[in-house]
mmCIF file of all heavy atoms in Angstrom:
data_model
loop_
_atom_site.group_PDB
_atom_site.id
_atom_site.type_symbol
_atom_site.label_atom_id
_atom_site.label_comp_id
_atom_site.label_asym_id
_atom_site.label_seq_id
_atom_site.Cartn_x
_atom_site.Cartn_y
_atom_site.Cartn_z
ATOM 1 N N LEU A 1 33.177 -56.663 47.678
ATOM 2 C CA LEU A 1 33.408 -55.218 47.685
ATOM 3 C C LEU A 1 32.481 -54.512 48.669
ATOM 4 O O LEU A 1 32.904 -53.621 49.415
ATOM 5 C CB LEU A 1 33.199 -54.654 46.277
ATOM 6 C CG LEU A 1 34.350 -54.815 45.291
ATOM 7 C CD1 LEU A 1 33.897 -54.431 43.894
ATOM 8 C CD2 LEU A 1 35.534 -53.957 45.700
ATOM 9 N N LEU A 2 31.214 -54.921 48.675
ATOM 10 C CA LEU A 2 30.245 -54.288 49.572
ATOM 11 C C LEU A 2 30.558 -54.583 51.033
ATOM 12 O O LEU A 2 30.060 -53.888 51.926
ATOM 13 C CB LEU A 2 28.834 -54.764 49.217
ATOM 14 C CG LEU A 2 28.300 -54.244 47.877
ATOM 15 C CD1 LEU A 2 26.982 -54.911 47.530
ATOM 16 C CD2 LEU A 2 28.135 -52.734 47.928
ATOM 17 N N ARG A 3 31.346 -55.602 51.267
ATOM 18 C CA ARG A 3 31.783 -55.883 52.639
ATOM 19 C C ARG A 3 33.010 -55.058 53.012
ATOM 20 O O ARG A 3 33.137 -54.612 54.158
ATOM 21 C CB ARG A 3 32.084 -57.385 52.772
ATOM 22 C CG ARG A 3 32.658 -57.793 54.121
ATOM 23 C CD ARG A 3 32.704 -59.299 54.260
ATOM 24 N NE ARG A 3 33.411 -59.938 53.169
ATOM 25 C CZ ARG A 3 34.735 -60.075 53.120
ATOM 26 N NH1 ARG A 3 35.475 -59.577 54.101
ATOM 27 N NH2 ARG A 3 35.309 -60.682 52.103
ATOM 28 N N LEU A 4 33.913 -54.820 52.040
ATOM 29 C CA LEU A 4 35.158 -54.131 52.346
ATOM 30 C C LEU A 4 35.044 -52.610 52.287
ATOM 31 O O LEU A 4 35.591 -51.901 53.136
ATOM 32 C CB LEU A 4 36.249 -54.576 51.358
ATOM 33 C CG LEU A 4 36.786 -55.995 51.509
ATOM 34 C CD1 LEU A 4 37.738 -56.317 50.366
ATOM 35 C CD2 LEU A 4 37.511 -56.145 52.839
ATOM 36 N N LEU A 5 34.340 -52.089 51.272
ATOM 37 C CA LEU A 5 34.353 -50.646 51.051
ATOM 38 C C LEU A 5 33.782 -49.842 52.215
ATOM 39 O O LEU A 5 34.356 -48.803 52.581
ATOM 40 C CB LEU A 5 33.616 -50.317 49.752
ATOM 41 C CG LEU A 5 34.337 -50.767 48.476
ATOM 42 C CD1 LEU A 5 33.501 -50.481 47.247
ATOM 43 C CD2 LEU A 5 35.691 -50.073 48.349
ATOM 44 N N PRO A 6 32.659 -50.245 52.836
ATOM 45 C CA PRO A 6 32.178 -49.453 53.970
ATOM 46 C C PRO A 6 33.193 -49.381 55.117
ATOM 47 O O PRO A 6 33.300 -48.348 55.789
ATOM 48 C CB PRO A 6 30.900 -50.192 54.398
ATOM 49 C CG PRO A 6 30.453 -50.910 53.180
ATOM 50 C CD PRO A 6 31.705 -51.313 52.471
ATOM 51 N N LYS A 7 33.954 -50.448 55.308
ATOM 52 C CA LYS A 7 34.969 -50.412 56.366
ATOM 53 C C LYS A 7 36.065 -49.398 56.030
ATOM 54 O O LYS A 7 36.553 -48.669 56.909
ATOM 55 C CB LYS A 7 35.585 -51.801 56.541
ATOM 56 C CG LYS A 7 34.612 -52.880 57.002
ATOM 57 C CD LYS A 7 35.332 -54.222 57.098
ATOM 58 C CE LYS A 7 34.369 -55.335 57.506
ATOM 59 N NZ LYS A 7 35.044 -56.655 57.583
ATOM 60 N N ILE A 8 36.452 -49.353 54.763
ATOM 61 C CA ILE A 8 37.499 -48.406 54.366
ATOM 62 C C ILE A 8 36.977 -46.982 54.471
ATOM 63 O O ILE A 8 37.685 -46.071 54.937
ATOM 64 C CB ILE A 8 37.985 -48.725 52.945
ATOM 65 C CG1 ILE A 8 38.577 -50.142 52.902
ATOM 66 C CG2 ILE A 8 39.023 -47.716 52.476
ATOM 67 C CD1 ILE A 8 38.951 -50.607 51.516
ATOM 68 N N GLU A 9 35.728 -46.754 54.055
ATOM 69 C CA GLU A 9 35.143 -45.417 54.164
ATOM 70 C C GLU A 9 35.023 -44.989 55.624
ATOM 71 O O GLU A 9 35.277 -43.833 55.970
ATOM 72 C CB GLU A 9 33.775 -45.397 53.487
ATOM 73 C CG GLU A 9 33.858 -45.466 51.970
ATOM 74 C CD GLU A 9 32.509 -45.227 51.326
ATOM 75 O OE1 GLU A 9 31.544 -45.919 51.726
ATOM 76 O OE2 GLU A 9 32.414 -44.354 50.461
ATOM 77 N N ALA A 10 34.640 -45.928 56.465
ATOM 78 C CA ALA A 10 34.519 -45.598 57.890
ATOM 79 C C ALA A 10 35.877 -45.245 58.479
ATOM 80 O O ALA A 10 35.986 -44.375 59.360
ATOM 81 C CB ALA A 10 33.892 -46.770 58.644
ATOM 82 N N LEU A 11 36.930 -45.896 57.972
ATOM 83 C CA LEU A 11 38.268 -45.589 58.475
ATOM 84 C C LEU A 11 38.644 -44.141 58.185
ATOM 85 O O LEU A 11 39.353 -43.504 58.973
ATOM 86 C CB LEU A 11 39.278 -46.544 57.828
ATOM 87 C CG LEU A 11 40.752 -46.354 58.206
ATOM 88 C CD1 LEU A 11 40.939 -46.581 59.706
ATOM 89 C CD2 LEU A 11 41.638 -47.299 57.405
ATOM 90 N N ALA A 12 38.170 -43.611 57.036
ATOM 91 C CA ALA A 12 38.501 -42.230 56.678
ATOM 92 C C ALA A 12 37.917 -41.222 57.661
ATOM 93 O O ALA A 12 38.363 -40.076 57.714
ATOM 94 C CB ALA A 12 38.010 -41.930 55.260
ATOM 95 N N THR A 13 36.901 -41.602 58.431
ATOM 96 C CA THR A 13 36.283 -40.685 59.405
ATOM 97 C C THR A 13 36.752 -40.983 60.826
ATOM 98 O O THR A 13 36.241 -40.388 61.780
ATOM 99 C CB THR A 13 34.751 -40.798 59.331
ATOM 100 O OG1 THR A 13 34.359 -42.139 59.678
ATOM 101 C CG2 THR A 13 34.262 -40.484 57.931
ATOM 102 N N ASP A 14 37.694 -41.889 60.974
ATOM 103 C CA ASP A 14 38.197 -42.231 62.299
ATOM 104 C C ASP A 14 38.929 -41.028 62.898
ATOM 105 O O ASP A 14 39.901 -40.530 62.316
ATOM 106 C CB ASP A 14 39.156 -43.424 62.174
ATOM 107 C CG ASP A 14 39.593 -43.976 63.532
ATOM 108 O OD1 ASP A 14 39.573 -43.235 64.518
ATOM 109 O OD2 ASP A 14 39.962 -45.171 63.582
ATOM 110 N N PRO A 15 38.471 -40.527 64.055
ATOM 111 C CA PRO A 15 39.133 -39.354 64.646
ATOM 112 C C PRO A 15 40.573 -39.639 65.068
ATOM 113 O O PRO A 15 41.346 -38.705 65.300
ATOM 114 C CB PRO A 15 38.250 -39.028 65.859
ATOM 115 C CG PRO A 15 37.519 -40.296 66.169
ATOM 116 C CD PRO A 15 37.313 -40.975 64.854
ATOM 117 N N GLY A 16 40.949 -40.906 65.177
ATOM 118 C CA GLY A 16 42.314 -41.232 65.563
ATOM 119 C C GLY A 16 43.324 -41.068 64.447
ATOM 120 O O GLY A 16 44.532 -41.128 64.687
ATOM 121 N N LEU A 17 42.859 -40.874 63.199
ATOM 122 C CA LEU A 17 43.775 -40.693 62.079
ATOM 123 C C LEU A 17 44.199 -39.239 61.956
ATOM 124 O O LEU A 17 43.436 -38.320 62.276
ATOM 125 C CB LEU A 17 43.117 -41.120 60.763
ATOM 126 C CG LEU A 17 42.858 -42.605 60.529
ATOM 127 C CD1 LEU A 17 42.364 -42.810 59.102
ATOM 128 C CD2 LEU A 17 44.100 -43.425 60.787
ATOM 129 N N THR A 18 45.410 -39.016 61.499
ATOM 130 C CA THR A 18 45.853 -37.657 61.183
ATOM 131 C C THR A 18 45.081 -37.174 59.961
ATOM 132 O O THR A 18 44.601 -37.987 59.147
ATOM 133 C CB THR A 18 47.350 -37.633 60.882
ATOM 134 O OG1 THR A 18 47.591 -38.410 59.695
ATOM 135 C CG2 THR A 18 48.150 -38.194 62.049
ATOM 136 N N PRO A 19 44.936 -35.852 59.778
ATOM 137 C CA PRO A 19 44.225 -35.341 58.587
ATOM 138 C C PRO A 19 44.828 -35.854 57.282
ATOM 139 O O PRO A 19 44.105 -36.131 56.331
ATOM 140 C CB PRO A 19 44.363 -33.825 58.726
ATOM 141 C CG PRO A 19 44.534 -33.590 60.188
ATOM 142 C CD PRO A 19 45.301 -34.761 60.710
ATOM 143 N N ASP A 20 46.172 -35.985 57.251
ATOM 144 C CA ASP A 20 46.810 -36.477 56.023
ATOM 145 C C ASP A 20 46.369 -37.890 55.690
ATOM 146 O O ASP A 20 46.026 -38.203 54.545
ATOM 147 C CB ASP A 20 48.334 -36.456 56.179
ATOM 148 C CG ASP A 20 48.925 -35.147 55.680
ATOM 149 O OD1 ASP A 20 48.132 -34.222 55.419
ATOM 150 O OD2 ASP A 20 50.158 -35.057 55.573
ATOM 151 N N LEU A 21 46.367 -38.782 56.685
ATOM 152 C CA LEU A 21 45.990 -40.168 56.427
ATOM 153 C C LEU A 21 44.511 -40.290 56.090
ATOM 154 O O LEU A 21 44.127 -41.098 55.237
ATOM 155 C CB LEU A 21 46.342 -41.035 57.641
ATOM 156 C CG LEU A 21 47.833 -41.294 57.862
ATOM 157 C CD1 LEU A 21 48.046 -42.136 59.115
ATOM 158 C CD2 LEU A 21 48.451 -41.994 56.648
ATOM 159 N N ALA A 22 43.671 -39.511 56.762
ATOM 160 C CA ALA A 22 42.239 -39.545 56.438
ATOM 161 C C ALA A 22 42.006 -39.099 54.995
ATOM 162 O O ALA A 22 41.218 -39.705 54.255
ATOM 163 C CB ALA A 22 41.468 -38.658 57.413
ATOM 164 N N ALA A 23 42.696 -38.009 54.588
ATOM 165 C CA ALA A 23 42.558 -37.537 53.212
ATOM 166 C C ALA A 23 43.105 -38.562 52.227
ATOM 167 O O ALA A 23 42.566 -38.742 51.131
ATOM 168 C CB ALA A 23 43.286 -36.205 53.053
ATOM 169 N N LEU A 24 44.168 -39.270 52.602
ATOM 170 C CA LEU A 24 44.740 -40.297 51.730
ATOM 171 C C LEU A 24 43.742 -41.417 51.474
ATOM 172 O O LEU A 24 43.582 -41.873 50.332
ATOM 173 C CB LEU A 24 46.017 -40.852 52.373
ATOM 174 C CG LEU A 24 46.695 -42.036 51.655
ATOM 175 C CD1 LEU A 24 47.160 -41.617 50.273
ATOM 176 C CD2 LEU A 24 47.862 -42.573 52.477
ATOM 177 N N VAL A 25 43.039 -41.871 52.518
ATOM 178 C CA VAL A 25 42.063 -42.948 52.345
ATOM 179 C C VAL A 25 40.920 -42.482 51.450
ATOM 180 O O VAL A 25 40.483 -43.210 50.548
ATOM 181 C CB VAL A 25 41.539 -43.412 53.712
ATOM 182 C CG1 VAL A 25 40.423 -44.434 53.540
ATOM 183 C CG2 VAL A 25 42.670 -44.008 54.544
ATOM 184 N N ARG A 26 40.424 -41.243 51.688
ATOM 185 C CA ARG A 26 39.323 -40.743 50.856
ATOM 186 C C ARG A 26 39.739 -40.631 49.395
ATOM 187 O O ARG A 26 39.002 -41.008 48.487
ATOM 188 C CB ARG A 26 38.852 -39.379 51.373
ATOM 189 C CG ARG A 26 38.048 -39.443 52.658
ATOM 190 C CD ARG A 26 37.309 -38.131 52.897
ATOM 191 N NE ARG A 26 38.228 -37.003 52.972
ATOM 192 C CZ ARG A 26 38.841 -36.613 54.079
ATOM 193 N NH1 ARG A 26 38.646 -37.299 55.201
ATOM 194 N NH2 ARG A 26 39.648 -35.575 54.084
ATOM 195 N N ALA A 27 40.939 -40.097 49.177
ATOM 196 C CA ALA A 27 41.396 -39.917 47.796
ATOM 197 C C ALA A 27 41.613 -41.256 47.095
ATOM 198 O O ALA A 27 41.373 -41.383 45.898
ATOM 199 C CB ALA A 27 42.687 -39.105 47.781
#
């Protein structure tokens, strides 16, 4: 989990994502 979760959290801040997809990952 400690290996996967930071990658998923970092994806939520990726400027290449649309606001909807970034919010989806965070939620």
Side-chain angles (χ1 to χ4, degrees):
L1 280 170
L2 290 173
R3 175 170 54 84
L4 289 174
L5 291 176
K7 297 178 182 179
I8 299 174
E9 288 189 308
L11 179 62
T13 62
D14 188 335
L17 290 187
T18 64
D20 268 11
L21 288 179
L24 175 63
V25 174
R26 286 195 301 274

